[in-house]
Amino acid sequence: MSSASAKQKISQSGERMTALERVRNIGIMAHIDAGKTTLTERILYYTGVNYRIGEVHDGTATMDFMEQEQERGITIASAATTCFWQGCRINIIDTPGHVDFTAEVERALRVLDGAVAVFCAVGGVQPQSETVWRQAKKYGIPAVAFVNKMDRTGADFKAVVAQIRDRLDSNPVPLALPIGSEETFVGVIDIIGVRALIYDRDSLGSEYSERAIPLEYVEETTRARDYLIECLAETDDVILEAFLNEGHISDADLKGAIRRATVAGDIVPVVCGSAFKNKGVQLLLDAVADYLPSPMDIWDIHGHDPKTGERMSRHVGDAQPFAALAFKVGTDPFMGRLVYFRVYSGTASQGGKVLNPRTGKIERFGQLLQMHADRREQRDKIFSGDIAAAVGLKDVATGDTLCAVDAPILLASVSFPEPVVSMAIEPRTSADRDNLTEALSTLAIEDPTFRVRVDAETGQTIVSAMGELHLEILRDRLLRDFKVSANVGRPQVAYRERLKGIGEADVKFVRQFGGRGQYAHVVLRAERCEAGHGVRVESKVTSGAIPRDFLPNVEEGIREVAASGVLAGYPVMDVHVDIIGGSYHPQDSTELAFKVAASMAFKQAAEKAGIALMEPVMRLEVNTPEEHLGDVIGDISGRRGQVTEVASTAAAVSVRAYVPLGRIFGYATALRSLSRGRATFVAEPSHFDDVSETEQNDIVGHRTII
Ligand code: GDP
């Protein structure tokens, strides 16, 4: 099945080689350790991109090309790669499994059309799979599921299918069944082709023999096929008619219906195998080619006119004006800045002009590159549906639109979660000082969940990110990629402030500097809002009270205070501010005066409303042998955690809980000693919650010591 000729097909010059309906832009999403990297390697091997199978544990895996990833054995950056299967061009964006890097997942999902969700046949649906699944749902991305590791002790295909239904609130429909399990797992049954694929041990899985379905699996296969048809009949007229008339349903009709149902998000096709033991991967590739959407299935892309803000849409296809979304900005030691983007409509050529509607600037594509994990191939021209990288774009950040100069459109950007961990950082030597500032700002452009700010009171530089590991990786990158040494403080909880209720303030700012006076008068009301509201400012005044020209300054004053905090220097979340009154002086009113008056008024209003500190709460899942269960639960309670579920699986007991982030720093060490190294855990940011009054006083009292 592996074909060396596929390798040549990747080279493209001026002509489109794959029709748009044969393009698949997919992501592979999984809980860490579910086998995503191994699976990707196998896919590249069977599709002829790699000649050698790289193993994760020997550090040669193609997709994990950053040094830190090879050392840690985890996938961090989204690498993009291309391969071919059954006449389809499959562009794979590798998405990280570790939740500290959710931003990577989020931006990858934004530009994908479909996903492969990998589950471990033993571990099943784990918390991070839930997180990524929710994100995929948010973007409406159809998925096929691959139940991996069918060769492992404790593998249970049916249990994982049930978990996909219950925990992920989806409609999984098996298209494959395992033959044997654990060490007797020898192959898979193809429910649609009604055949058994039995794998030959010596060919690294590239060859298998097709046989009739073993007798003991006939009944199960029939049941699975009937179930598939019943599910499809619920939403598909072609199948419903054949089902009611008890007519024959051809494979082509069946595949067509599965595709429609998958693209609509009504079902999730499930196949299974063992990436490590080279089994079942071809059936997964067939499912990607047959059922996941092409860019044509999206048909219309939506955005706004950058000038008027009016909604607009555009068909996909090469004949349309160019529109693409930059979903990642990276720095390459040799090529400099690389902007990765997904083309939605139109084509672009090397050296061509492109507009960035955010900055209003026209830029020029330098080289255009097709990425193959650690290898790059130069392209003269790129087409709609492509995922490519460009050299030479100067002022482009993650989430920016790139579009034709004469047909501007602003596509919806990517939304990112709030960072939860901060630490102070300072240059080690004076030579590092200048470079540190520049390196940090480059990192912040590349990664929107990494933020840098200078604390107004202490003057320290504070960096915030999604978790301890995220901070550690960024510090490594400072040293390796930017050659900057830095001292860092202990990771701290990135608290937030929120209003307790409503507060109003009426502030007049009147000063006399030399001859000229300063006058501004602002009345506003600030009100606490639902989580996710953000900071919003609305003007309800007539221009007789505050002239329109000063409103941006009023908003700026409010936003500055909201960003730097009112109580203890932490950003204020979810507040709605109405500007309800004010007055001005024809000579003395200035932009500065309105900004100052507004910031004083917002501060006063917030203080009147009362301010509470909020802390990030983590969703924790611990897997422990039964004998340590009591200790694990006791310890979670000691950390102010709330246990929400205790469930037994074949191999262990899993405990789910919510725990304040501040209480699980260093949890890895504590859990290791509690369970003699046998329990494992994952924790991910869940939401923000109020801290208790006593703790709030403590935090406010100690806040200068970061
Ligand atoms: P990722 O974190 O999801 O990228 O997972 P990896 O591909 O790095 O795999 C994690 C570990 O599981 C590695 O040690 C793999 O060798 C192993 N692994 C992956 N797939 C399988 C499989 O199908 N069966 C078994 N037994 N082990 C597997």
Side-chain angles (χ1 to χ4, degrees):
M1 282 273 157
S2 111
S3 78
S5 64
K7 196 164 176 97
Q8 282 104 48
K9 277 196 275 172
I10 291 167
S11 295
Q12 291 200 357
S13 54
E15 292 300 312
R16 169 184 275 288
M17 293 195 54
T18 313
L20 193 52
E21 53 270 30
R22 307 292 302 161
V23 173
R24 302 286 175 271
N25 284 319
I26 65 160
I28 301 186
M29 46 191 210
H31 185 277
I32 194 158
D33 263 3
K36 186 188 58 207
T37 311
T38 312
L39 175 68
T40 312
E41 284 303 311
R42 296 315 190 259
I43 290 176
L44 297 184
Y45 179 71
Y46 298 133
T47 55
V49 176
N50 274 6
Y51 290 113
R52 188 168 97 75
I53 286 191
E55 289 302 343
V56 178
H57 52 250
D58 69 11
T60 61
T62 313
M63 293 295 277
D64 286 347
F65 61 91
M66 280 170 71
E67 272 176 80
Q68 292 99 318
E69 293 182 29
Q70 301 227 333
E71 279 168 18
R72 288 163 206 265
I74 52 175
T75 313
I76 303 161
S78 297
T81 202
T82 295
C83 61
F84 291 84
W85 187 256
Q86 289 190 358
C88 279
R89 176 198 191 98
I90 304 176
N91 298 319
I92 304 173
I93 299 231
D94 189 26
T95 49
H98 197 284
V99 276
D100 275 6
F101 312 111
T102 21
E104 294 275 353
V105 181
E106 190 93 13
R107 62 185 158 196
L109 289 175
R110 172 69 180 80
V111 295
L112 295 176
D113 301 325
V116 169
V118 185
F119 298 99
C120 167
V122 183
V125 175
Q126 288 156 304
Q128 282 168 25
S129 325
E130 284 185 48
T131 309
V132 183
W133 198 270
R134 270 198 305 277
Q135 286 169 310
K137 268 200 163 165
K138 188 170 91 185
Y139 291 109
I141 295 174
V144 296
F146 181 69
V147 179
N148 188 33
K149 302 200 185 183
M150 282 308 306
D151 61 305
R152 272 191 57 192
T153 312
D156 189 342
F157 179 67
K158 284 190 188 134
V160 180
V161 174
Q163 285 178 13
I164 296 175
R165 177 185 322 282
D166 301 340
R167 288 196 173 171
L168 302 180
D169 200 16
S170 299
N171 188 13
V173 180
L175 301 187
L177 294 173
I179 305 178
S181 186
E182 307 182 352
E183 68 273 24
T184 65
F185 175 63
V186 291
V188 289
I189 289 171
D190 169 8
I191 289 174
I192 297 173
V194 195
R195 58 183 182 148
L197 312 184
I198 307 288
Y199 282 81
D200 159 19
R201 275 162 193 272
D202 303 327
S203 68
L204 284 176
S206 56
E207 286 166 23
Y208 50 79
S209 50
E210 280 189 38
R211 307 211 188 128
I213 293 177
L215 268 184
E216 65 271 34
Y217 286 97
V218 169
E219 200 189 320
E220 199 183 343
T221 309
T222 312
R223 246 186 292 135
R225 203 176 151 94
D226 288 349
Y227 178 70
L228 167 68
I229 292 170
E230 269 169 43
C231 285
L232 294 172
E234 275 178 28
T235 52
D236 201 282
D237 293 342
V238 178
I239 302 294
L240 180 65
E241 208 181 304
F243 182 67
L244 294 177
N245 300 330
E246 292 186 13
H248 173 72
I249 301 173
S250 70
D251 283 3
D253 279 349
L254 204 51
K255 284 187 175 174
I258 298 172
R259 180 179 174 77
R260 286 189 291 276
T262 308
V263 171
D266 293 335
I267 63 165
V268 176
V270 189
V271 293
C272 62
S274 163
F276 186 62
K277 295 281 170 71
N278 311 303
K279 296 185 174 78
V281 178
Q282 291 89 348
L283 220 48
L284 171 67
L285 280 165
D286 287 349
V288 168
D290 290 339
Y291 311 127
L292 286 182
S294 82
M296 294 291 280
D297 290 297
I298 306 171
W299 194 234
D300 272 342
I301 47 164
H302 302 286
H304 291 92
D305 182 316
K307 284 229 168 68
T308 63
E310 238 170 77
R311 279 184 68 84
M312 57 194 290
S313 50
R314 178 174 294 171
H315 293 329
V316 301
D318 294 346
Q320 303 293 320
F322 182 75
L325 189 83
F327 64 94
K328 182 176 162 72
V329 179
T331 317
D332 180 273
F334 304 107
M335 319 214 70
R337 187 181 257 213
L338 275 181
V339 176
Y340 294 73
F341 57 94
R342 151 86 194 253
V343 186
Y344 284 93
S345 64
T347 62
S349 302
Q350 189 156 316
K353 284 183 184 162
V354 65
L355 172 73
N356 179 349
R358 179 181 60 87
T359 59
K361 283 192 192 140
I362 295 174
E363 300 218 26
R364 204 176 269 281
F365 282 124
Q367 284 180 38
L368 292 171
L369 301 167
Q370 181 79 58
M371 311 304 290
H372 299 287
D374 58 347
R375 209 154 48 76
R376 320 185 157 105
E377 185 190 351
Q378 212 160 314
R379 302 263 307 263
D380 298 334
K381 193 168 177 188
I382 45 169
F383 301 89
S384 52
D386 277 353
I387 287 179
V391 185
L393 297 174
K394 294 192 187 71
D395 191 6
V396 174
T398 301
D400 280 357
T401 302
L402 299 170
C403 62
V405 177
D406 53 0
I409 184 170
L410 187 61
L411 304 173
S413 186
V414 191
S415 63
F416 295 107
E418 288 286 310
V420 295
V421 180
S422 319
M423 66 184 184
I425 188 164
E426 58 180 31
R428 195 160 279 175
T429 67
S430 58
D432 290 321
R433 185 171 304 277
D434 294 344
N435 297 344
L436 179 68
T437 314
E438 201 183 314
L440 289 177
S441 65
T442 305
L443 286 174
I445 290 176
E446 288 180 15
D447 181 350
T449 52
F450 173 66
R451 311 248 174 97
V452 187
R453 68 183 174 90
V454 176
D455 188 291
E457 265 178 38
T458 62
Q460 286 174 306
T461 302
I462 310 291
V463 292
S464 320
M466 296 312 295
E468 284 177 279
L469 182 59
H470 192 192
L471 282 174
E472 210 180 300
I473 301 267
L474 289 162
R475 191 178 160 207
D476 270 12
R477 286 204 55 201
L478 278 180
L479 201 59
R480 276 180 218 242
D481 299 349
F482 300 91
K483 313 278 176 268
V484 178
S485 318
N487 290 324
V488 296
R490 259 186 337 118
Q492 304 278 320
V493 178
Y495 293 99
R496 296 289 187 284
E497 297 180 7
R498 75 158 177 80
L499 269 56
K500 288 184 180 164
I502 303 185
E504 273 188 28
D506 181 332
V507 170
K508 257 194 198 127
F509 178 74
V510 190
R511 292 280 187 285
Q512 200 71 39
F513 293 126
R516 195 164 171 209
Q518 294 273 354
Y519 179 93
H521 175 203
V522 175
V523 188
L524 54 76
R525 184 192 310 120
E527 186 175 353
R528 169 196 178 173
C529 291
E530 293 287 300
H533 183 88
V535 177
R536 288 196 210 163
V537 182
E538 206 174 312
S539 166
K540 298 202 163 147
V541 288
T542 57
S543 60
I546 301 177
R548 281 179 76 90
D549 285 356
F550 291 124
L551 287 175
N553 310 105
V554 171
E555 176 157 353
E556 195 187 349
I558 296 168
R559 287 196 181 274
E560 265 182 23
V561 173
S564 59
V566 178
L567 177 71
Y570 300 107
V572 181
M573 288 178 98
D574 303 321
V575 58
H576 195 96
V577 184
D578 283 325
I579 306 163
I580 49 177
S583 59
Y584 74 105
H585 184 280
Q587 273 90 47
D588 291 351
S589 280
T590 60
E591 294 180 351
L592 180 69
F594 268 106
K595 184 175 154 185
V596 175
S599 55
M600 286 162 64
F602 177 61
K603 215 167 176 171
Q604 279 184 20
E607 276 161 1
K608 274 189 202 154
I611 298 162
L613 267 195
M614 304 189 82
E615 62 186 348
V617 176
M618 306 295 278
R619 189 180 292 121
L620 174 74
E621 179 168 329
V622 183
N623 279 291
T624 173
E626 179 102 45
E627 62 197 275
H628 301 299
L629 181 63
D631 291 340
V632 167
I633 291 183
D635 178 68
I636 290 175
S637 309
R639 294 172 189 274
R640 285 205 288 117
Q642 271 187 332
V643 175
T644 54
E645 191 187 317
V646 179
S648 295
T649 61
V653 186
S654 89
V655 181
R656 291 173 167 224
Y658 290 105
V659 188
L661 171 68
R663 298 301 179 105
I664 53 168
F665 281 139
Y667 186 61
T669 321
L671 187 65
R672 208 175 300 134
S673 66
L674 256 180
S675 67
R676 288 194 230 104
R678 292 175 58 209
T680 57
F681 81 102
V682 283
E684 58 165 5
S686 166
H687 60 277
F688 282 84
D689 208 349
D690 287 359
V691 306
S692 70
E693 196 110 337
T694 349
E695 282 200 56
Q696 175 158 332
N697 293 338
D698 242 26
I699 296 161
V700 176
H702 287 93
R703 91 161 209 92
T704 41
I705 318 161
I706 270 202

